[in-house]
């Protein structure tokens, strides 16, 4: 269709132009529930072996904490 869309919840109030805060380096940008870089963008949590049978560390990935309250979709 060729148009960009800023989709927001009805309880969001813009006190400034929201477009100056967007990076516009991806097709879709969304808000996050994170309060710093690791909680916003994810991390690799590595834990040690749980028992003598499993000698390799365990990797647990948290990808992101996306929130559907605001999305910018670029055409």
């Amino acid at each position: 269709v060729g148009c960009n869309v800023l989709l927001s919840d009805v309880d969001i109030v813009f006190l400034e132009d929201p477009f100056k805060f967007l990076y516009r380096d991806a097709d879709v940008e969304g808000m996050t529930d994170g309060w710093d870089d690791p909680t916003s963008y994810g991390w690799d949590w590595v834990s040690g072996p749980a028992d003598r049978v499993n000698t390799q560390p365990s990797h647990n990935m948290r990808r992101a904490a996306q929130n559907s309250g605001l999305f910018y979709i670029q055409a």
Side-chain angles (χ1 to χ4, degrees):
V1 177
C3 61
N4 302 331
V5 176
L6 180 65
L7 177 70
S8 68
D9 284 351
V10 296
D11 60 349
I12 292 181
V13 175
F14 297 108
L15 301 176
E16 290 186 54
D17 179 14
F19 292 101
K20 66 182 182 182
F21 299 102
L22 297 173
Y23 289 106
R24 300 186 200 189
D25 60 348
D27 292 335
V28 177
E29 290 189 57
M31 64 188 285
T32 179
D33 285 334
W35 56 87
D36 58 6
D37 282 350
T39 57
S40 296
Y41 303 115
W43 65 85
D44 181 12
W45 179 61
V46 181
S47 61
D51 52 38
R52 293 181 187 211
V53 176
N54 183 13
T55 59
Q56 298 297 319
S58 172
H59 289 264
N60 298 302
M61 297 292 293
R62 165 118 185 223
R63 296 289 180 196
Q66 292 297 319
N67 183 317
S68 63
L70 181 82
F71 280 106
Y72 177 66
I73 303 165
Q74 261 187 160

